Amino acid sequence: MTEPHGHLNDPSHDHDHDHDHDHDHALGRGGAGGLGRWRHKLGQLGHVVKPHSHEAADKVDPALESSARGMRALWISLAVLGVTAGAQAVVVLLTGSVALLGDTVHNAADALTAIPLGIAFVLGRRAATRRFTYGYGRAEDLAGIVILLTIAASAAFAAWAAVDRLFNPRTLDHLWVVAAAAVIGFIGNEWVARYRIRVGREIGSAALVADGLHARTDGFTSLAVLLSAGGAALGWRLADPIVGLLITAAILLVLRDAGREVFRRVMDAVDPTLVDTAEEALLTVPGVRGVGELRLRWIGHRLRAEVAVVVDGELPVREAHEVAVAAEHALLHAIPNLTAALVHADPAPTPGTPDPHKALAHHGM
């Protein structure tokens, strides 16, 4: 599998994996004479009996490493947010700030989202089976749904606490401690946000990136608690519950954005620029006359591609296959986080030649 690089939607990435893939396509050019040529022929024969998908053993380690990096990011951020939420909880007990309580609960919930994501990363390492032929990468989508439910629950709790305090106002104590706790919340969340977003982009995990953005929003809501402390210092007793309601609104905005991301993944949506990049890469391959149907889909934090390329209809099967392999190779270099591509070669239409797909027309494809 290719090692992921770059931004989720950034078409540029390093070509570290070409040293692994070139061993099949360049043997014999600088090999040990006749032995190298024979190995090259055997490699070609192997391609004839296999589909055009680089699901080779040399891709397993980088894919496992990407999951391991995701796991490290989750546990480290869990520890940081756990300490942050714990410190804030102590301040809540001392001061009774409902705004800080809402922020603390949200931070704790954000920390706990590491658990379903961690389970998803572990499941994603499992090999494909005859029942789960694409593997278990979709577990990340299920984890995303769990995260949405967690965010919704924290919003409901924050709203309940704020409304209760509106009807039962109380004076805040130790305002400087509340302000300090708000700053601690911001620093902890911003650090976690930067870390999760960076690792998520590098390994291609939309769930991890979204969770990082979630943490960043939590950081800014922590700063909103400063407004609560400031209002209380000025004698405005309703400042605390009102800021608590504002935090609830901020959580709902995060829920909307996170829901959009999860929905797109479940519906197999990809950034259209990835499709453009794939088409441009395919059209640079010698022998490819055009690009037909092209599909990309995320399986967890890995991409798969299915594409039909148009080739000269007079090419022998072996040469058409070589064009398809070159097309696959070009895609693996051009698309970040792409781990497999299934390439189908279609003959270019010629006058008087029947459509080779005519037999499939009645299936509504």
Side-chain angles (χ1 to χ4, degrees):
M1 294 179 179
T2 31
E3 182 173 357
H5 297 279
H7 191 280
L8 284 167
N9 300 324
D10 186 357
S12 62
H13 72 303
D14 296 331
H15 291 173
D16 293 345
H17 67 282
D18 66 342
H19 299 294
D20 295 326
H21 294 298
D22 284 351
H23 76 284
D24 280 336
H25 306 304
L27 280 171
R29 285 182 286 182
L35 177 61
R37 287 191 294 273
W38 275 106
R39 291 176 66 190
H40 182 50
K41 293 294 183 182
L42 289 174
Q44 289 182 323
L45 179 61
H47 272 305
V48 170
V49 297
K50 293 180 181 179
H52 311 130
S53 179
H54 279 194
E55 293 283 5
D58 60 346
K59 285 188 179 181
V60 174
D61 290 343
L64 290 178
E65 174 60 22
S66 68
S67 294
R69 292 188 63 199
M71 289 290 291
R72 285 196 297 271
L74 288 175
W75 298 133
I76 291 173
S77 60
L78 173 61
V80 173
L81 286 179
V83 171
T84 301
Q88 288 183 314
V90 172
V91 177
V92 169
L93 292 176
L94 292 174
T95 65
S97 170
V98 71
L100 187 60
L101 174 62
D103 191 41
T104 302
V105 170
H106 196 194
N107 288 336
D110 190 22
L112 292 177
T113 57
I115 295 176
L117 269 178
I119 295 173
F121 279 131
V122 171
L123 285 176
R125 297 180 182 184
R126 299 181 61 180
T129 66
R130 292 181 66 84
R131 181 178 296 276
F132 296 96
T133 55
Y134 281 97
Y136 294 81
R138 286 288 192 181
E140 284 190 38
D141 296 333
L142 296 178
I145 295 174
V146 173
I147 290 171
L148 291 181
L149 294 175
T150 303
I151 297 172
S154 64
F157 180 82
W160 172 81
V163 171
D164 178 70
R165 189 55 55 84
L166 277 175
F167 290 100
N168 301 286
R170 57 174 289 187
T171 302
L172 290 181
D173 300 320
H174 310 292
L175 294 180
W176 68 270
V177 180
V178 174
V183 174
I184 291 173
F186 171 75
I187 294 174
N189 276 288
E190 180 60 20
W191 188 91
V192 167
R194 289 175 180 269
Y195 184 47
R196 284 180 176 177
I197 292 171
R198 176 173 60 82
V199 176
R201 285 175 175 170
E202 289 174 354
I203 70 173
S205 174
L208 192 55
V209 170
D211 216 23
L213 295 173
H214 177 201
R216 174 161 289 164
T217 304
D218 290 350
F220 286 114
T221 58
S222 293
L223 288 182
V225 176
L226 286 174
L227 297 177
S228 172
L234 295 175
W236 189 27
R237 299 181 67 188
L238 294 181
D240 185 51
I242 288 176
V243 171
L245 290 175
L246 292 177
I247 291 176
T248 300
I251 296 174
L252 291 176
L253 290 177
V254 172
L255 180 62
R256 181 199 65 183
D257 294 339
R260 183 187 299 118
E261 292 298 322
V262 172
F263 174 78
R264 287 175 177 173
R265 277 300 174 93
V266 171
M267 295 299 293
D268 283 332
V270 297
D271 189 330
T273 60
L274 289 177
V275 180
D276 296 338
T277 300
E279 290 178 339
E280 292 170 2
L282 290 168
L283 291 175
T284 64
V285 176
V288 174
R289 293 189 173 185
V291 179
E293 187 175 51
L294 172 61
R295 295 179 179 178
L296 295 171
R297 74 186 315 191
W298 285 99
I299 306 293
H301 53 270
R302 303 166 194 168
L303 270 172
R304 294 182 66 98
E306 298 175 6
V307 60
V309 295
V310 180
V311 302
D312 186 350
E314 302 300 321
L315 285 179
V317 173
R318 188 176 299 277
E319 292 183 21
H321 176 269
E322 290 176 354
V323 173
V325 171
E328 177 191 3
H329 205 190
L331 284 176
L332 289 169
H333 280 277
I335 305 297
N337 309 311
L338 183 69
T339 57
L342 184 64
V343 182
H344 173 76
D346 278 336
T350 56
T353 302
D355 181 2
H357 299 125
K358 184 176 180 180
L360 303 175
H362 67 283
H363 288 285
M365 299 181 66

